Amino acid sequence: MPTRMPEAGGISYRTDSETKRNRKHRKKHAPITGDQIAEMLNVSRATLRTDLSKLVILDYIDAKPKVGYFLGNRGTAEKEEKLHLLKMKVGDLHSVPVIVRETTTIHEAVVSLFLENVGNLIVTDADGHLAGIVSRKDLLKVTLGNPTASTMPVSLIMTRRANVTTVQPEDTVLDAARKIIAHQIDSLPVVVESDTGNPGDWKVVGRITKTNIIKMLLGWAAEE
């Protein structure tokens, strides 16, 4: 029977083979005595006594008299949770994209931006392929002091596809977070290759945002 364990965003199941591998991993690194730990850390056994007792109480490690210390249940579970977070895919987390066409007017884009409560809009062409992105800053810059801007199409002010940073569903959430930080942006379009066969044609299937990632982390923390 599979072993059920909580994860960020839902429930997953750990197979018996995975459980056996975890037990084997724990045996490989145990036991270790207090004297060995002290020697590795270059401190006295007495210095470690209180800290080791606390770790045993918190179930991070387990102790057996005259044998030594083993990795505890909590330490194993947290390591597995962290590995799960590192391996989580964008496709498991992304939200619905907010899309406008290249022909959408500035006025319509501003309305969409505030109705959807997002920081930017993904722009696609007539075939539904990614064409660019238009942000709040783009819209603000073009409308200030320009009474005729409201009728202009967003294609005139958007960031073009070639300069848009994207991710794909099979990319990890960690990779997406790195791109968000590196480019100092709030979200990324999630794209897949179009069936046209043209390398530059990308279909938009979602968007991943800072909020998505933070909610995932808070959900994981709440289960602790």
Side-chain angles (χ1 to χ4, degrees), residues 11 20 31 50 55 57 64 103 122 126 140:
I11 297 294
K20 289 175 182 177
T50 301
L55 290 173
I57 293 171
K64 292 185 178 180
T103 54
I122 299 172
L140 183 62

Side-chain angles (χ1 to χ4, degrees), residues 137-209:
K137 185 183 290 186
D138 295 328
L139 295 169
L140 183 62
K141 284 166 61 176
V142 75
T143 53
L144 285 176
N146 187 356
T148 62
S150 61
T151 58
M152 293 166 53
V154 294
S155 59
L156 294 179
I157 66 165
M158 69 182 182
T159 300
R160 301 283 171 177
R161 179 188 59 201
N163 296 317
V164 175
T165 304
T166 63
V167 288
Q168 294 181 265
E170 62 269 21
D171 291 336
T172 65
V173 174
L174 184 61
D175 288 335
R178 284 172 175 156
K179 287 184 177 182
I180 286 174
I181 292 171
H183 295 278
Q184 298 181 0
I185 50 182
D186 293 325
S187 64
L188 297 167
V190 183
V191 299
V192 295
E193 290 186 17
S194 174
D195 52 14
T196 62
N198 296 326
D201 290 345
W202 296 95
K203 286 282 188 181
V204 180
V205 296
R207 67 188 182 103
I208 185 164
T209 68

Side-chain angles (χ1 to χ4, degrees), residues 35-194:
D35 290 334
Q36 289 173 322
I37 296 173
E39 183 179 350
M40 291 169 64
L41 297 176
N42 197 26
V43 296
S44 68
R45 176 70 176 82
T47 302
L48 283 179
R49 187 174 292 112
T50 301
D51 291 330
L52 290 174
S53 298
K54 289 179 180 178
L55 290 173
V56 170
I57 293 171
L58 293 172
D59 202 21
Y60 282 106
I61 60 175
D62 190 15
K64 292 185 178 180
K66 299 182 180 181
V67 176
Y69 295 96
F70 301 79
L71 186 63
N73 292 324
R74 187 171 180 180
T76 303
E78 288 198 355
K79 183 177 289 186
E80 290 171 355
E81 289 291 343
K82 288 176 183 177
L83 286 174
H84 168 73
L85 289 176
L86 291 175
K87 294 178 181 178
M88 180 174 280
K89 304 297 183 182
V90 168
D92 299 325
L93 190 66
H94 71 72
S95 53
V96 177
V98 182
I99 296 173
V100 296
R101 299 296 188 196
E102 289 177 303
T103 54
T104 300
T105 66
I106 300 294
H107 173 75
E108 292 169 334
V110 170
V111 172
S112 296
L113 194 77
F114 284 97
L115 285 178
E116 298 292 343
N117 192 28
V118 292
N120 55 54
L121 301 169
I122 299 172
V123 185
T124 60
D125 61 20
D127 297 319
H129 299 135
L130 177 66
I133 279 185
V134 61
S135 67
R136 286 183 180 178
K137 185 183 290 186
D138 295 328
L139 295 169
L140 183 62
K141 284 166 61 176
V142 75
T143 53
L144 285 176
N146 187 356
T148 62
S150 61
T151 58
M152 293 166 53
V154 294
S155 59
L156 294 179
I157 66 165
M158 69 182 182
T159 300
R160 301 283 171 177
R161 179 188 59 201
N163 296 317
V164 175
T165 304
T166 63
V167 288
Q168 294 181 265
E170 62 269 21
D171 291 336
T172 65
V173 174
L174 184 61
D175 288 335
R178 284 172 175 156
K179 287 184 177 182
I180 286 174
I181 292 171
H183 295 278
Q184 298 181 0
I185 50 182
D186 293 325
S187 64
L188 297 167
V190 183
V191 299
V192 295
E193 290 186 17
S194 174

Side-chain angles (χ1 to χ4, degrees), residues 5-23:
M5 63 177 289
E7 295 179 346
I11 297 294
S12 74
Y13 291 84
R14 188 170 64 226
T15 63
D16 289 338
S17 61
E18 288 174 321
T19 302
K20 289 175 182 177
R21 283 198 300 271
N22 290 333
R23 287 173 182 165

